[in-house]
Structure formats: C-alpha cells, structure tokens
Amino acid sequence: MEKIARAGDIVSEVFQVLARQARPGIRTAQLDKLAEELIIKRGAIPSFKGYRGYPYTTCLSVNEQVVHGFPGERQLLPGDIVGVDVGAFLNGYHADAATTIAIGPLDQGVSKLVQTTRDCLALAVSMVRPGIYWGDVAEAIEQKAVQNGFEVIHDLFGHGIGQKLHEDPLLPNFGKKGTGPRLKEGMIIAVEPMLVMGDYEIEILADGWTIVTKDGKWSAHEEHTLAITRDGCRILTGQRNYGEQ
Ligand code: MF3
Ligand code: CO
C-alpha cells in the first residue's frame, strides 16, 4: 500500500501541473510531454507507455473522446473538457488515476456532467469498505449518473491494480446490489466512473486506441487508486477538490 501511495503521489502531482498548464491554445502533446518529464524526474516510469503498445505517457481524451485519446497537435479550445488519465510505476508497483479538466467556462450541461462524474467517484469512495459487494457500489454509481440525466459506459471497467496495471477483479460502473466480487481488506483497486451525456455506445477510432461516443456527445472520466482498509478505504492517488453531491 505504501509503495502504491508513493507512485500515487507522483500521479497526483502530474494532475496539479497539467491543471495549471491546460489552457486554450495548448496542444495535448505538450501536456503529455510535461507529464512524462515529471514522472521521470521523480524516478518513476510511465505505466501506460508501451503497455500493449500504447505509445504515450498519458491518455488525453477531449470532449466526445471517452478514454485512451492520443496526445497530439490538437489545440484545446475554451469550453473543452479533457480527461487526463495517467499511471506511474515506482518500486515495482503501479498507481493509476484520471480526472477531467475544464478549459475555461463550460456549458451548463457539460459542467453538470463533470461534476456528476466527480460525485460518482466520491460516492464510491464513501461506500468502499471490507465486506461490501462491488454490485452495491456499482449500482449506486449508475443511479447517481442516471438521476442526473447521464449514462455510464458499459464496455469499460475499473480494475484491481498492483505489480501489474490491470489485475482482477473487473469493476463495472453498473450492477446489482448483493452481486459481484466482495471487497476485502488489503485489496487495491482502481475505481473509474466514465459518464456520457447521450447514449453509452462507443467506438474505436482508426488509430486503434481512441474511444469515442457513437453519438458524438461528450464524456467525462474520474479515477482513483484505492486501498481497502479495516474500516473503509484510503485514496492512494491524492485528494482532489470534490464539490460533492
Ligand atoms: N488508465 C487506463 C485504465 O484504467 C489505462 C490505459 S491503458 C493504456 O485502464 F494502454 F492506454 F495505457
Ligand atoms: Co484504470
């Protein structure tokens, strides 16, 4: 847990730097370079670069891109949202987290999407404890999304994490109370709600990685690596400011 927390500190620092630098006109490739330089300066290795051939340090997913967006020459514009997903590997262990950054003032609906995604993650964090069924958490995540007029992605999941970036169990963002894996003290999991303004159908672009919504409506993503503790959980990828529920 402590080793993953040290990797998580680096991930959290990447968000702080990128949130400061993400502004209209910046190219997503510039943000990826900043992230990579920082991770290496801290003595860690980017978890994603080379993972199943993924070519970059970060996944930067803009607007209708859900996850796994390639950093590149695209310039961010006022009103855009960019999902920043990053992992760091340090002393044999991975930490993985994501957040969605606003570029200037957002449309009201988009702002609600981003806030609700944060609320879904905060709700999951508040529920995660030994003995709970993942289905209890997953049902609550989906309910909060739907109550606010959004859908959760059905084809992408959270996951266990440790010496490998992706470990068992799979953690969908929808489910039924009393079903699915039961959480145990000592497990380390990456919880990652992905919400959309329209339908949850997705497709993969020709680059083989970038996942977008089929209907072109926008999407937001938040992720923390969590350790299940005796009486709840500990966030290993830094506190962020959750406006909350
Ligand atoms: N953070 C992503 C996840 O949660 C990992 C991206 S896989 C990569 O599963 F290959 F794109 F790096
Ligand atoms: Co993940």
Side-chain angles (χ1 to χ4, degrees), residues 125-130 185 227-234:
V125 168
S126 76
M127 293 179 74
V128 162
R129 59 179 163 74
E185 184 178 353
I228 317 300
T229 55
R230 196 167 52 85
D231 53 2
C233 71
R234 172 178 164 200

Side-chain angles (χ1 to χ4, degrees), residues 127-141:
M127 293 179 74
V128 162
R129 59 179 163 74
I132 197 170
Y133 288 94
W134 177 255
D136 293 16
V137 182
E139 188 180 284
I141 290 172

Side-chain angles (χ1 to χ4, degrees), residues 69-240:
F70 277 10
E73 293 310 304
R74 181 174 183 163
Q75 285 180 295
L76 297 173
L77 298 173
D80 281 351
I81 52 173
V82 55
V84 177
D85 194 346
V86 63
F89 181 72
L90 183 71
N91 295 323
Y93 288 86
H94 293 278
D96 178 13
T99 193
T100 296
I101 295 173
I103 309 302
L106 300 180
D107 279 357
Q108 223 177 5
V110 175
S111 176
K112 186 177 180 196
L113 171 75
V114 171
Q115 188 57 47
T116 304
T117 308
R118 287 183 185 163
D119 292 347
C120 284
L121 180 56
L123 178 61
V125 168
S126 76
M127 293 179 74
V128 162
R129 59 179 163 74
I132 197 170
Y133 288 94
W134 177 255
D136 293 16
V137 182
E139 188 180 284
I141 290 172
E142 187 183 26
Q143 256 177 24
K144 179 169 281 294
V146 170
Q147 275 163 9
N148 283 280
F150 305 117
E151 294 277 1
V152 297
I153 297 287
H154 281 218
D155 294 334
L156 300 161
F157 309 89
H159 50 91
I161 181 168
Q163 291 176 311
K164 288 189 293 173
L165 178 62
H166 292 137
E167 298 184 358
D168 286 338
L170 281 179
L171 304 172
N173 293 301
F174 60 94
K176 261 181 90 61
K177 261 191 203 119
T179 69
R182 277 183 99 170
L183 303 180
K184 281 196 212 136
E185 184 178 353
M187 289 175 71
I188 314 261
I189 57 175
V191 175
E192 45 183 322
M194 291 154 258
L195 270 62
V196 288
M197 299 181 78
D199 194 83
Y200 56 70
E201 292 290 323
I202 55 176
E203 60 191 22
I204 305 183
L205 297 187
D207 62 24
W209 278 98
T210 309
I211 294 180
V212 297
T213 58
K214 255 193 188 155
D215 61 15
K217 300 210 174 146
W218 290 15
S219 173
H221 182 204
E222 294 283 337
E223 176 180 21
H224 267 313
T225 296
L226 306 175
I228 317 300
T229 55
R230 196 167 52 85
D231 53 2
C233 71
R234 172 178 164 200
I235 299 174
L236 303 179
T237 39
Q239 295 288 348
R240 296 200 285 278

Side-chain angles (χ1 to χ4, degrees), residues 18 21-22 26-35 60 76:
L18 265 50
Q21 296 299 323
I26 197 161
R27 297 181 193 279
T28 53
Q30 294 174 267
L31 297 176
D32 185 71
K33 185 162 180 280
L34 288 169
L60 298 177
L76 297 173

